[in-house]
Amino acid sequence: MTAPLLSIRDLHLSMSSYDGKAHVLNGIDLTVNRGEIWGLVGESGCGKSLTGLSISQLLPSPPADYMAGEIMLEGRDMLKLPRPELQKLRGNRIGMIFQDPTTNLNPAFRIGDQLVDVALAAARWKPGILDCPPGAGRSERKRAARKLARDMLERVGIPDAGMRLDSYPHQFSGGMRQRVLIAMALIGRPDLLIADEPTTALDVSVQAQILKLLKGCVADYDMGVILITHNLGVVAETCSHVAVMYAGNIVESGPVAAVIERPEHPYTRALMASIPTRDTRRGMLRGLAGSVPNLITPPPGCRFAPRCPHATAACMTGVPAPVRVGRDHAAACIHAKEPETAHV
Amino acid sequence: MTDTAEHIATEPELPKQDKLQRALFRFRQSRLSMLGAVMVALVVFFTAFGTLLAPFPEHIAGGVDTAARFQPPSWAHPFGTNELGQDVLSLVMAGTTVSVLAGLSVVLIGTVIGTLVGAIAGFAGGWIDEILMRLTDLTLTIPGLILAMAVAAALGPGFTNMIIAISLSWWPGYARLVRGEVLAVREESYVNAARAIGASPSRILLRHILPNTVSPIIVKMSLDMGFAILMVAGLGFIGIGIRPPTPEWGTLLSVSRSYMPDYWWTAMAPGMAMFFAVFGFNLLGDGLRDILDPKARR
Amino acid sequence: MSEIMLEIDDVSKIYAGKRGMFGRSHMVEALKHVSLSVRRGESFGLVGESGSGKTTLTRSILQLERPTSGRVLFEGMDLGQLSTAEMRWLRARIQIVFQDPYASLNPRMSVHDIVTEPMLIHRETLGLNRRQRTERAVELLSLVGLGAQHLYRHPHEFSGGQRQRICIARALAPGPDLLVLDEPTSALDVSVQAQVLNLLCELQDKLGLTYFFISHDLGVVRYLCDRLALIYRGEIVEQGDCASVFDAPETEYARALIGAMPEVKVPPAA
């Protein structure tokens, strides 16, 4: 079997601030293969976005400090790559989409020109994407890049793509802008796409379209996706796998169906119980008391223990290791049971 | 309470955060800001005690010592003596009080007028805004020094007249700044919330809008102090500001101009003092901007 | 049938729009003949996407904006016809909680000042002196799950959920009958959202409040509200009991919206 697309091993990250050094990622293990969509969920401040930014090495250092671990992208450790190599990778191996589509497009340039720039830059490393003979002139390459830009806009479902190339960002609606950003992230044919809350600012109907589009792209381009979101509903409908994060740890991970049907970690259960469903009776929503702990002085042992309804004295000693609770399904809880003994 | 109490249980205490301490921490991290603060502290010290600490207090009052004219720097007179035999150091120390207080008055008056105009314009909007801001623009079209010269010439020389003259050209910058801030803060959710609870317009302006525009005003004031001191000196230099024998940096420079370059030391002390004060206030202003007005950070 | 508290009667709002360089002006119809009524003691949900006119309707109810035509009636009184004094009185009876708890608290005021300000403004109606106001502020804080130890702290010392509790306490301070909740939980994490939703349920039961709940999250509306209206491009496309709208939506738009809702099936509690 070949190396996985992305493999994060025991990643530890700390961030320094006035208050001290916060241990924000506490041994992350994550493996993403081509064709998989991984949902990364958890409350804010759990390290979801930091994990995403770590993969593309976009955190300034200081304050960021990687204390241990590795981030392997098809066998190469992102933490050890020199800067120019990283930049090359970011453009065409890793694509990124952020939450706010307005601030990530330059308002002064036409959509088409921005897409063409990205395509030309990506073509420096991957000439194949432009579909023109080697040694082609500048104008020829530019024309090819423009055609590619139009194709991508069509691909992400923007009507009249050819004409829309000449529009400015402000002439697009929020959903359309997010589509443009997806097109921009995909134009270099990345192997890994990191989408950080791509639909949070959008209406539900637009959200559904964007997520469907994302799913289609994964199938077409055979890439891996990390979808960072706080919405378990989005994960349930879009992702193939899910990793639930709490206070810098992945507390539960596995195929979406398994995790959502049989959540083994109390945090995952609590998170799911916070979402009102059609059967939740008024006033009977089971919230989760408390909030994410301060990571400068994290609680000893299991970081979730102070909020956990099932915590015992044993939980206060030592960070629990992930326990296999099903096929590819693991939960980092000392009370989680191996599949043989678990009640199914 | 009932079983619902558990469901609505509040989150644990966040540690009490002292905003001031955080700000000071960030301020102290910047060496230049700290340097500025120390320089300004020194300037303030001499503003308060310069006249008292001067080695030759009699010279400040206008006393002369013709026997000791144009003495070069020595232990007795570290910055030499001038054409009247007066100790230059004593004059410059006393001049600190005059220059800095003049600068401070200008900035304070400018801030008060500017804030008033800007706040009313931004809050009222419509034709009031239109009139006030066109008036501001009109004032801005006249170069500050020229306007101040004209007013000073009309009112005659003297400390108060000079301050009035400069202040009249000083407020438009504040009016624009405050109007912009008011327009931005006016749209904040908490201002809408105040409207919804029925707060009166004056309450909204005084309690909710203006307190949240203070930071950039303070930053501008400290950056402006240096320029105001220079402006005061400038008017003194061209002879329409404070007149001798009141020791003022610009006047001192102006007089010593006639004796350059032979008696260079007469110009050096006031020049250095001015440089020191202006530089200090600018560094401090930059430092304050970094901690108070993070939007403007590089 | 219970008494109607708030009635929106054929309200339209047209924004003239900025006149362009050549004198053409674009008219924007933010609300088109909107009619709905909210009964005393119920939770009424208004659901719509961005740009649907939710905000304009809210602002019209609070009289922060005047409708172009139509009437907003509160207990049968036309809000457009009220005198300044009546309007002040009304401000105490209709209160609002905004979406963003980070932006809706004045950063320069302490919790005490924030919560007592409405009582200070309405002191003639409420008749509370300084000490009574502080006492009531403590009561209100404990009602929303905070305590007296929070009284002299500033907003930046609180988490998002706690800030929203402070906003709710402020809204309750003048003793309102109707609470307009403008997406009060959409800026919060689901776990905190659950806490705030439960708090809202509890407060309604305790104080007999009427809620006008604006949201884009159908799941939250289904949980909290008795009836709802769907607004689309300034028009009410469907309204009725929550249960019937969710079980048997009548319009295409309602079906599409409910279909687009991402859902998680929660297993029975372990």
Side-chain angles (χ1 to χ4, degrees), chain A residues 43-44 203-205 207 232-234 236-237 260 263 272 274 276-278 280-290, chain C residues 43 49-50 189-191 194-195 197-198 201 204-205 219 222-224 247 257 260-267 269-270:
Chain A
E43 290 167 275
S44 25
D203 289 326
V204 266
S205 54
Q207 165 171 293
L232 268 169
V234 166
E237 304 216 330
I260 285 190
M272 289 173 64
S274 317
T277 65
R278 61 180 314 130
T280 321
R281 275 195 304 125
R282 199 184 134 88
M284 287 297 126
L285 200 56
R286 283 185 297 142
L288 178 56
Chain C
S43 296
E49 310 205 317
S50 44
D189 273 318
V190 275
S191 55
Q195 296 168 16
L197 288 178
N198 282 340
C201 289
Q204 187 166 38
D205 296 344
R222 181 179 58 194
Y223 174 68
L224 190 77
D247 290 335
L257 209 58
M261 220 172 121
E263 281 237 56
V264 198
K265 287 182 291 159
V266 176

Side-chain angles (χ1 to χ4, degrees), chain B residues 9 29 63 69 73-74 90 142 145-146 223 288:
Chain B
Q29 276 198 323
R69 295 180 65 206
S74 63
S90 298
I142 310 168
L145 191 64
I146 310 252
L223 285 172
L288 285 178

Side-chain angles (χ1 to χ4, degrees), chain A residues 4-286:
Chain A
L5 174 61
L6 174 79
S7 152
I8 304 178
R9 287 286 154 259
D10 194 34
L11 185 68
H12 287 259
L13 168 69
S14 74
M15 301 283 273
S16 310
S17 72
Y18 164 72
D19 299 298
K21 208 167 176 186
H23 198 159
V24 288
L25 294 183
N26 184 25
I28 299 289
D29 285 293
L30 185 69
T31 304
V32 179
N33 289 301
R34 287 177 187 273
E36 292 178 346
I37 306 182
W38 273 82
L40 222 52
V41 290
E43 290 167 275
S44 25
C46 280
K48 295 170 298 183
S49 292
L50 289 174
T51 305
L53 291 170
S54 293
I55 295 167
S56 45
Q57 287 291 293
L58 282 173
L59 288 171
S61 174
D65 177 20
Y66 292 95
M67 299 180 295
E70 53 181 34
I71 303 172
M72 306 292 275
L73 189 72
E74 287 195 327
R76 289 206 289 173
D77 190 348
M78 299 290 289
L79 291 177
K80 298 206 176 82
L81 283 182
R83 246 192 134 69
E85 285 284 302
L86 265 179
Q87 252 155 18
K88 210 167 99 184
L89 280 184
R90 267 185 219 137
N92 60 99
R93 300 289 309 271
I94 303 178
M96 292 208 72
I97 307 170
F98 295 99
Q99 174 173 352
D100 186 357
T102 20
T103 49
N104 287 293
L105 285 169
N106 189 331
F109 292 96
R110 295 173 200 276
I111 295 287
D113 295 344
Q114 297 189 47
L115 284 169
V116 165
D117 278 350
V118 175
L120 287 176
R124 289 227 302 274
W125 317 108
K126 263 189 204 164
I129 60 169
L130 281 192
D131 192 27
C132 59
R138 202 181 137 67
S139 61
E140 201 175 331
R141 290 214 321 275
K142 227 172 167 174
R143 219 173 305 129
R146 201 171 159 81
K147 184 175 174 301
L148 179 65
R150 204 190 65 212
D151 292 348
M152 283 314 298
L153 283 189
E154 252 164 33
R155 181 74 192 73
V156 297
I158 289 180
D160 300 324
M163 276 159 65
R164 295 302 258 165
L165 281 178
D166 291 324
S167 303
Y168 286 93
H170 71 262
Q171 292 166 310
F172 285 78
S173 67
M176 285 293 171
R177 271 184 228 153
Q178 198 56 284
R179 283 165 201 256
V180 171
L181 278 176
I182 292 176
M184 202 174 267
L186 292 179
I187 210 164
R189 296 281 163 78
D191 303 302
L192 178 67
L193 182 71
I194 301 171
D196 192 349
E197 306 267 7
T199 58
T200 304
L202 305 175
D203 289 326
V204 266
S205 54
V206 184
Q207 165 171 293
Q209 295 164 10
I210 298 271
L211 292 175
K212 206 171 140 206
L213 165 69
L214 214 56
K215 254 173 132 166
C217 291
V218 173
D220 291 359
Y221 299 136
D222 191 34
M223 54 182 188
V225 175
I226 294 181
L227 179 66
I228 298 166
T229 176
H230 65 272
N231 190 332
L232 268 169
V234 166
V235 170
E237 304 216 330
T238 317
C239 299
S240 59
H241 295 73
V242 59
V244 182
M245 288 193 73
Y246 183 75
N249 291 324
I250 291 184
V251 293
E252 181 157 8
S253 67
V256 159
V259 173
I260 285 190
E261 268 163 36
R262 209 162 53 79
E264 285 293 336
H265 197 284
Y267 180 63
T268 315
R269 281 203 290 260
L271 216 50
M272 289 173 64
S274 317
I275 306 167
T277 65
R278 61 180 314 130
D279 304 317
T280 321
R281 275 195 304 125
R282 199 184 134 88
M284 287 297 126
L285 200 56
R286 283 185 297 142

Side-chain angles (χ1 to χ4, degrees), chain B residues 231-257:
Chain B
M231 182 78 114
V232 171
L235 286 190
F237 188 81
I238 55 177
I240 50 173
I242 295 161
R243 286 281 170 89
T246 310
E248 187 268 328
W249 294 342
T251 324
L252 291 175
L253 259 187
S254 168
V255 173
S256 60
R257 184 179 43 165

Side-chain angles (χ1 to χ4, degrees), chain B residues 16, chain C residues 106-111 150 152-158:
Chain B
K16 181 149 176 69
Chain C
N106 186 340
R108 306 243 169 215
M109 284 165 78
S110 69
V111 172
H150 297 115
Y152 294 101
R153 296 201 171 184
H154 282 78
H156 72 269
E157 298 174 58
F158 294 92

